[in-house]
Each structure stands twice: as structure tokens, then as C-alpha cells.
């Protein structure tokens, strides 16, 4: 499946019930574009395993990876969805992930070429840091 915005490769994953309020359309499944980092609701047919998490190396594994993936989808609306963004940061950390290290890693990937994020990752990371301070 390819991204509707940039035609990049998408990684589909199951969204646990606790994270569905933060998913596009509160969907049970979502897809992350590995090029522009947009997140869209996915169809159940796009996810081979009903318990699948995001399988993409820059992201943490397990539920932390799902929380970070959903966070990436909200980066363009930090001001409007501040509470959701904060909750996803906390969820990712509680699940053993480090969203800030992940964002730094993605920013490095964007600087070297394989990513073309839909937002300025460096600026958004700084804004996120100020949200949690």
C-alpha cells in the first residue's frame, strides 16, 4: 500500500484500544508512511496480523512504537491537540520508548535524504520539548 499524500511506502499496524482515541478516525488499524511520516486510518485487510505493531527500525518496538507513530501523525497539529500529544509522549515513555531519541533519529534520516517529513522535525521536536517542560 502506498501513501495517498506522497506515494511512499506505508507500514500498517494495529492500534491498541488504549491508543485509539489518538488514531486517525479512532481506527483500530493505521498506516505510517515511511517517507512523509503521515499517519492515516487503515483497513483491516491492510494488516496481516491483528496484533501487529509498527515494524520500522527507527521506531521503538511494541506499544511504544505505536504511540510514537501516532505522535508523528499529530506533529502538524501540536497546538490544537496538545493534550493528545502529551498523552502519546507519556504512553510511549511508559511503554519503554524514548520519543525524543526517535525524533532525533528521524531528523538525521531526513537530513541524509531517505525521509521527506511533512513537518520540520527539528522545529517540532523543540516545540514538543517545551510542551513537556
Amino acid at each position: 500500500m502506498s501513501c495517498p499524500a506522497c506515494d511512499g511506502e506505508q507500514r500498517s499496524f494495529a492500534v491498541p484500544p488504549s491508543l485509539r482515541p489518538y488514531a486517525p478516525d479512532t481506527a483500530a488499524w493505521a498506516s505510517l508512511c515511511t517517507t512523509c511520516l503521515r499517519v492515516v486510518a487503515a483497513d483491516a485487510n491492510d494488516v496481516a496480523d491483528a496484533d501487529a505493531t509498527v515494524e520500522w527500525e527507527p521506531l521503538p518496538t511494541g506499544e511504544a512504537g505505536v504511540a510514537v507513530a501516532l505522535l508523528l501523525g499529530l506533529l502538524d497539529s501540536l497546538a490544537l491537540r496538545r493534550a493528545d500529544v502529551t498523552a502519546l509522549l507519556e504512553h510511549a515513555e511508559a511503554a519503554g520508548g524514548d520519543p525524543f531519541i526517535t525524533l532525533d533519529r528521524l531528523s538525521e534520516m531526513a537530513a541524509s535524504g531517505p525521509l521527506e517529513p511533512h513537518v520540520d522535525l527539528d522545529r517540532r521536536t523543540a516545540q514538543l520539548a517545551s510542551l513537556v517542560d
Side-chain angles (χ1 to χ4, degrees):
M1 193 166 98
S2 62
C3 176
C6 74
D7 207 32
E9 179 186 350
Q10 289 189 308
R11 302 290 172 103
S12 296
F13 55 94
V15 179
S18 62
L19 293 175
R20 288 185 189 153
Y22 314 110
D25 302 326
T26 62
W29 297 277
S31 293
L32 168 69
C33 177
T34 60
T35 301
C36 71
L37 303 180
R38 285 184 172 89
V39 177
V40 296
D43 187 275
N45 297 327
D46 297 330
V47 183
D49 178 2
D51 296 321
T53 60
V54 184
E55 298 295 328
W56 189 44
E57 185 167 330
L59 299 186
T61 59
E63 206 165 300
V66 173
V68 172
L70 295 174
L71 173 68
L72 293 171
L74 298 180
L75 288 179
D76 59 351
S77 57
L78 288 179
L80 296 174
R81 303 209 42 200
R82 181 180 182 156
D84 293 344
V85 167
T86 303
L88 286 168
L89 285 169
E90 291 171 358
H91 194 98
E93 289 173 345
D98 188 329
F100 287 101
I101 287 177
T102 302
L103 289 168
D104 288 343
R105 187 178 305 131
L106 292 170
S107 183
E108 289 173 14
M109 289 174 69
S112 65
L115 289 181
E116 295 175 17
H118 68 285
V119 295
D120 180 336
L121 288 176
D122 292 329
R123 194 167 82 191
R124 294 299 175 162
T125 301
Q127 291 170 337
L128 279 173
S130 71
L131 281 178
V132 297
D133 285 341

